[in-house]
Amino acid sequence: MSLDITTLVKKYDTPLYVYDFNNITNRYEELKGAFDGKKSLVAYAVKSNSNLAVIRHLAKLGAGADCVSIGEVHRALKAGVKKYRIIFSGVGKKDSEIREALQQDILLINLESEDEMKRVEMIANEMDVEARISIRVNPNVDPQTHPYISTGLHENKFGVSLDMAKRMYIYAKKSEHLNPVGIHFHIGSQLTELAPISEACEIVADLVRSLKAINIDIKFFDVGGGLGVVYNNETTIKPKDYAHAITQKIKGLDVTILSEPGRYMMANSGIFLTKVLYEKQNGEKRFVIVDGAMNDLIRPSLYNAYHKIEAVQKEGETTLADVVGPVCESGDFLGKNVALPPLNHNDILVVHSAGAYGFTMSSNYNTRGRSAEVAILDGKDYLIRERESFEDQIRLEEACDISWQE
Ligand code: LLP
């Protein structure tokens, strides 16, 4: 990102998320281009960064949206994603969410259990519509990633077994209110190995073939998200290799390939900026206390995730320090043993690879307002979310009648 960080911080203050929209374009084009010549739809995983401007930018490029709540579906629609490019997944959809998804006539609802299928059928029946569905299968493949973001094993709560999926397809095919158009799997996130993806594709493609043999014609082959990115020194999967591995396994099938990348699109399109408040030394240990915290970026605390941290001012000898925030938890850190030069009040630190699962996982813990977000497009900066004020935070409490306490 070629931008003047100091100027941005002067203008917008910290903590601050900054996204490079040109990089988002490049990532999208590269992935979409990898499927050139094939029917494909890149349905951006809105959960990774659901700012309306981000979704709008991707919608304009032709992306669809992978949503896991009706709120995300509304964001996608509001941001201009075409309804026929929106899919709705998630293990626990409420009746009201199912009803609305059907009303909105989105591309498909992705089912994760037999129970859920029956509810979708019942609601579609009440509404006298046909629900286009896909079924998330759990191919029981080890994605070789962090256990918290591994989803394709039977021990995970996601999807249904292959046998169950087949039974569900047979049921759905007979139902007047269900139209089974897709199949879906997502084995995990931050995948850096191609083999588990290939294996899952093969297993699921075999199921599609066996469904075809009984006249159940699957049109959308959804490979989920999960493409890994470089946080530190990981070797990642090239989009071309990814697309090749998938197309190899679905030879002879007339399907549209759906993919649901989130992190791949956003992680390295964003940085998180924070200012130094104080330095302190507790015995041997050096702490750099900053104004950003776990409520802003929880990945280090939650997954022990690594985010590269650099100081804008680079003078002086570096020593190791833990970069910690003001939240009252020992787990509140952005980085451990980070090599940093001597720092002063208001020096700026850049936390890298923060564009995915950064802002979207932020909270108001300790009554801290959520950060502002800024987009950079063609060298210009645009505010895309205002800094949250104290008033914003208490609005819903103040809206309540508290006369009973008087
Ligand atoms: N599709 C499905 C069904 C998913 O469950 C996910 C992510 C994605 C797509 C997008 O995955 P991606 O391409 O971003 O890897 N908060 C965690 C990541 C949780 C991912 C959950 N599911 C983190 O910060 O690492």
Side-chain angles (χ1 to χ4, degrees), residues 45 47 66 149 186 189 225-226 260-263 299 303 357 361:
K47 66 172 86 80
D66 163 41
I149 48 179
H186 169 84
S189 203
E260 307 169 345
R263 190 189 316 270
R299 301 193 72 259
Y303 313 116
Y357 306 107
M361 293 178 81

Side-chain angles (χ1 to χ4, degrees), residues 43-48 66-68 87 89-90 110 112 136 146 148-151 158 184-191 222-229 231 242 259-266 297-299 302-303 305 307 356-358 360-361:
Y44 167 62
V46 170
K47 66 172 86 80
S48 65
D66 163 41
C67 304
V68 287
I87 58 187
S89 306
N110 194 18
E112 301 226 18
R136 177 169 182 173
H146 192 291
Y148 278 18
I149 48 179
S150 149
T151 45
F158 299 99
H184 172 257
F185 64 91
H186 169 84
I187 56 172
S189 203
Q190 182 58 9
L191 306 176
D222 185 344
V223 299
L227 270 180
V229 302
Y231 285 102
Y242 179 64
S259 60
E260 307 169 345
R263 190 189 316 270
Y264 166 84
M265 217 76 92
M266 289 309 299
L297 178 63
I298 203 173
R299 301 193 72 259
L302 192 58
Y303 313 116
H307 286 262
Y357 306 107
T360 47
M361 293 178 81

Side-chain angles (χ1 to χ4, degrees), residues 137-261:
V137 297
N138 185 329
N140 201 24
V141 168
D142 183 355
Q144 293 153 27
T145 186
H146 192 291
Y148 278 18
I149 48 179
S150 149
T151 45
L153 286 169
H154 283 165
E155 65 198 60
N156 301 123
K157 69 177 175 180
F158 299 99
V160 297
S161 69
L162 297 166
D163 289 351
M164 172 57 88
K166 195 161 181 179
R167 285 202 293 280
M168 286 168 68
Y169 278 114
I170 292 169
Y171 179 94
K173 170 81 177 169
K174 287 193 193 131
S175 165
E176 259 180 60
H177 293 285
L178 298 172
N179 181 8
V181 294
I183 197 156
H184 172 257
F185 64 91
H186 169 84
I187 56 172
S189 203
Q190 182 58 9
L191 306 176
T192 52
E193 302 284 336
L194 207 44
I197 300 171
S198 280
E199 195 186 331
C201 275
E202 185 168 333
I203 294 170
V204 177
D206 281 348
L207 176 58
V208 174
R209 287 190 189 95
S210 76
L211 291 171
K212 207 175 159 65
I214 51 171
N215 282 326
I216 299 173
D217 210 5
I218 298 298
K219 297 183 182 68
F220 296 97
F221 190 86
D222 185 344
V223 299
L227 270 180
V229 302
V230 178
Y231 285 102
N232 193 4
N233 48 18
E234 299 88 341
T235 320
T236 55
I237 301 166
K238 292 191 184 63
K240 277 243 172 285
D241 296 339
Y242 179 64
H244 182 71
I246 296 165
T247 47
Q248 279 303 305
K249 299 293 180 194
I250 58 169
K251 275 203 175 127
L253 295 176
D254 180 22
V255 290
T256 298
I257 302 164
L258 275 176
S259 60
E260 307 169 345

